Amino acid sequence: MFVILIFALLLVFLLSGVRVHASVLPDGTYMSRERTSMINGFFIWIVFISHLKGYGVDLPEADRLVAKLIGYLGQCCVATFFFYSGFGIMASLRRKGSEYAKALVCRRLPMLLLHMSLAVLVFWGVQALYGAQYEWSKVLLSMIAWDSIGNSNWFIFVSLSAYLIVAVAYALGRKLGEVGVISGVILLFLLLIVFLKIHKGFWWYDTCLCIPAGMLFFVFRPFMERIFAVLRVPVWVYGMLLVPLSLFIYSSLSRWPYLNNFSAILFALGVTLLFSCVELKRNPSFLCWCGGSALFYLYIFQRIPMMIGAGAGWHTESPFMYELFCVVGTLANAWVACRVVPFIDRLIFRGKA
């Protein structure tokens, strides 16, 4: 099933009318919301495969090979999520300034907390069907992504922290300009890394610096593009070199996971450059949906069909049907959530800027 899934995603991309140029696309269109959503839409399924193989599914040889290759990515598979998030945050700060910094704390953070709380309640209900019981403290901590009752959490915790960090850094450093704000973000993230290194596993902190890296890329993108134009080397070549180099560095730094932030940044930059000169006749709507409006729901709810199928023993009795059930169930959950959760948001956050 993994082979079929990867092939289907590549086919969706290729059918979008791919044309490769030597130079980057003009006017920064390669960093548009649609383009970054498309890339994230591919990587969310890489995350899906990484999570699924953790449920002890008896994979056929071809799927085992795909899972092994994806294993080499490690935490780099989420690097673009943070990198593009940082890019988008910096773009909004330049455009809206203090209004956006305030919205990060007053709207985006509580909205993400609400979505996480709703997801935890769903997981709590599913776990209850299997007789699992949890202390209230564990459930409440899961709602702020510090703990888990079967749901994914660390990525959400870093995202919540990022909203606070950026807002604080902007409030303190805005008079120093954009680089001053980003320097503050880096400093606060370094403090967060120290804190998480004491209390959590390495995967909580080995990619989070991709957020300020994305912010820096927004500021210096025009300068980098001028350098690429002078060098006259096809930009995709840099991407082709950076991606394997970043993965080599990532595997070499396993003893010092906090340094893997740099390899994750190189990976995100490599992927970005690789696609920066790729023109599409039309945006692949499915991948854009997966990496855009459905991204959170695909990420947070994908473990529910995995848990249900594993609880029924399908992961060993019928691996292909188990994988298919997980794919369909994940898509169905995301499709429903994309319609229900925004309705709840409108009821709760109506009228707020």
Side-chain angles (χ1 to χ4, degrees):
M1 186 64 194
F2 291 171
V3 176
I4 296 174
L5 179 59
I6 296 297
F7 178 78
L9 294 174
L10 291 175
L11 184 62
V12 168
F13 170 69
L14 293 174
L15 289 177
S16 300
V18 178
R19 184 180 178 185
V20 180
H21 299 270
S23 57
V24 299
L25 300 180
D27 302 321
T29 52
Y30 64 94
M31 290 301 293
S32 67
R33 181 183 295 272
E34 293 77 14
R35 178 58 61 92
T36 56
S37 293
M38 178 197 74
I39 295 172
N40 284 343
F42 180 81
F43 278 107
I44 191 59
W45 289 105
I46 299 298
V47 173
F48 171 87
I49 292 175
S50 299
H51 286 169
L52 185 60
K53 68 180 184 179
Y55 283 81
V57 58
D58 187 13
L59 298 173
E61 189 62 33
D63 283 359
R64 200 174 299 130
L65 176 61
V66 171
K68 183 177 181 180
L69 292 174
I70 287 176
Y72 290 126
L73 294 178
Q75 288 290 97
C76 289
C77 64
V78 301
T80 62
F81 299 156
F82 285 147
F83 189 80
Y84 296 149
S85 178
F87 184 93
I89 286 172
M90 196 65 229
S92 296
L93 284 175
R94 175 178 288 184
R95 198 166 60 246
K96 302 177 183 177
S98 299
E99 179 186 352
Y100 182 75
K102 180 180 178 181
L104 285 174
V105 177
C106 298
R107 182 175 177 85
R108 294 193 65 176
L109 188 147
M111 188 174 288
L112 182 54
L113 278 173
L114 171 64
H115 297 173
M116 188 63 180
S117 298
L118 293 173
V120 168
L121 290 176
V122 173
F123 273 88
W124 196 11
V126 173
Q127 296 282 33
L129 295 176
Y130 291 95
Q133 296 182 348
Y134 300 99
E135 297 288 338
W136 275 100
S137 58
K138 187 176 182 67
V139 175
L140 293 175
L141 287 174
S142 298
M143 289 181 175
I144 61 171
W146 184 250
D147 209 333
S148 171
I149 57 173
N151 56 285
S152 300
N153 60 339
W154 73 267
F155 182 88
I156 305 301
F157 182 83
V158 172
S159 298
L160 291 168
S161 301
Y163 295 155
L164 288 174
I165 285 173
V166 171
V168 171
Y170 184 83
L172 297 177
R174 61 183 175 181
K175 293 183 179 180
L176 301 176
E178 292 177 338
V179 175
V181 171
I182 298 172
S183 298
V185 172
I186 294 173
L187 176 61
L188 291 173
F189 262 114
L190 290 175
L191 294 176
L192 178 65
I193 288 173
V194 173
F195 175 75
L196 292 176
K197 189 175 186 296
I198 296 172
H199 297 283
K200 296 293 184 179
F202 69 89
W203 58 93
W204 283 67
Y205 57 82
D206 67 349
T207 55
C208 60
L209 288 181
C210 287
I211 295 175
M215 299 173 73
L216 282 171
F217 185 74
F218 173 82
V219 174
F220 292 105
R221 178 184 60 81
F223 174 73
M224 293 178 63
E225 290 177 357
R226 288 195 293 269
I227 292 178
F228 292 142
V230 171
L231 294 176
R232 296 184 179 278
V233 176
V235 180
W236 57 264
V237 172
Y238 298 111
M240 289 288 288
L241 294 175
L242 278 179
V243 168
L245 175 63
S246 64
L247 296 179
F248 173 77
I249 296 174
Y250 183 86
S251 62
S252 302
L253 294 177
S254 57
R255 294 184 180 179
W256 306 281
Y258 49 90
L259 294 178
N260 270 327
N261 277 280
F262 300 107
S263 53
I265 292 169
L266 288 178
F267 180 83
L269 181 60
V271 170
T272 299
L273 296 180
L274 195 59
F275 285 93
S276 67
C277 48
V278 176
E279 181 183 3
L280 301 176
K281 290 184 178 179
R282 55 193 171 276
N283 291 314
S285 55
F286 175 73
L287 285 174
C288 291
W289 177 75
C290 289
S293 60
L295 181 63
F296 172 81
Y297 310 118
L298 288 172
Y299 172 75
I300 203 66
F301 288 124
Q302 61 184 233
R303 289 187 181 273
I304 288 181
M306 295 177 189
M307 291 164 47
I308 293 173
W314 299 340
H315 61 312
T316 55
E317 296 173 3
S318 182
F320 180 83
M321 294 305 298
Y322 172 67
E323 295 173 75
L324 181 61
F325 170 76
C326 291
V327 171
V328 174
T330 297
L331 287 171
N333 287 337
W335 184 86
V336 172
C338 279
R339 282 147 182 80
V340 174
V341 176
F343 174 75
I344 298 174
D345 288 342
R346 287 192 294 271
L347 291 177
I348 296 177
F349 297 99
R350 181 170 47 192
K352 291 188 178 182

